[in-house]
Amino acid sequence: MDLLIFWDSRAPPGIQTALSRELEILLPLISRVCESHFVVTGYIPSRKQTDATALLDSLDLFKKRSGGTDLVLLVVSEDLCRKGDEYLFGLSRQSTGSAVVSTARLENEYYGYPADDGDLIDRLAKESAHEVGHLLGLAHCRNRECIMFNPLLLEDINRQKRWFCPACQEYLQKV
């Protein structure tokens, strides 16, 4: 089983390979960056956000039509939300092996800071590994430095280390 990374055309360019390499270090998967065939749907004008569940529905349909069994991660630039949440960094659906992450709130510019590809790659790698961790069966972790800790704020992602705690790592070694 591989991880297919689909990169939306509006997502920050030039960091796809760096993300793929980081995920291969963190996860027991081979990752491949693929050309994205997805039209980003689910925009909610009143919120100026995109419904992450609508994007997962599109990924699920793609997987069903293509007969694919690989895990799928879609990277988008749109700010994500879902009913009941103000915003999301990402969302996954373990039952179908699909996940989506947004760079919107991971970029320094969103918070008025100078752009920094290093910060973006670090945060995107941690959030992507978090969502793929869910696809592999991991739940949220209580260790605040573990990738599987539930990040509600950017500070949570910044505090996380680029690693899985020993308990989560032990689980991943059995996958």
Side-chain angles (χ1 to χ4, degrees):
M1 173 175 32
D2 290 347
L3 173 64
L4 306 181
I5 303 171
F6 291 99
W7 203 270
D8 183 66
S9 63
R10 291 180 300 235
I15 61 172
Q16 298 93 320
T17 302
L19 175 64
S20 178
R21 284 186 194 136
E22 289 298 324
L23 293 177
E24 285 189 348
I25 291 168
L26 292 167
L27 298 161
L29 298 168
I30 302 296
S31 63
R32 294 184 288 145
V33 177
C34 306
E35 183 180 342
S36 180
H37 305 285
F38 299 99
V39 175
V40 175
T41 60
Y43 183 71
I44 304 168
S46 62
R47 291 183 68 160
K48 297 182 181 171
Q49 293 176 301
T50 298
D51 182 355
T53 57
L55 292 174
L56 289 178
D57 291 344
S58 294
L59 291 173
D60 294 347
L61 182 59
F62 163 78
K63 286 185 73 172
K64 185 176 182 177
R65 286 183 175 166
S66 68
T69 58
D70 292 320
L71 300 178
V72 174
L73 173 68
L74 175 62
V75 178
V76 298
S77 62
E78 284 75 10
D79 193 23
L80 299 178
C81 68
R82 73 173 164 187
K83 188 176 181 180
D85 289 305
E86 183 180 336
Y87 65 89
L88 299 169
F89 295 113
L91 188 64
S92 59
R93 191 176 285 159
Q94 182 184 4
S95 62
T96 60
S98 301
V100 60
V101 295
S102 168
T103 61
R105 291 177 189 252
L106 300 177
E107 294 185 273
N108 283 347
E109 299 95 304
Y110 184 87
Y111 304 93
Y113 301 121
D116 186 318
D117 282 349
D119 286 345
L120 177 58
I121 291 166
D122 180 64
R123 293 171 186 149
L124 185 57
K126 290 186 278 191
E127 179 58 23
S128 296
H130 176 96
E131 296 305 336
V132 175
H134 285 315
L135 298 181
L136 295 173
L138 283 169
H140 286 144
C141 182
R142 297 177 115 175
N143 184 329
R144 296 170 61 86
E145 293 183 343
C146 179
I147 285 174
M148 291 312 296
F149 182 79
N150 186 19
L152 301 177
L153 303 169
L154 183 68
E155 290 79 21
D156 295 329
I157 294 175
N158 288 341
R159 181 182 46 254
Q160 290 171 325
K161 303 292 185 204
R162 212 181 295 186
W163 60 269
F164 291 91
C165 72
C168 291
Q169 186 62 43
E170 182 180 337
Y171 178 90
L172 286 175
Q173 290 174 355
K174 295 176 184 174
V175 174

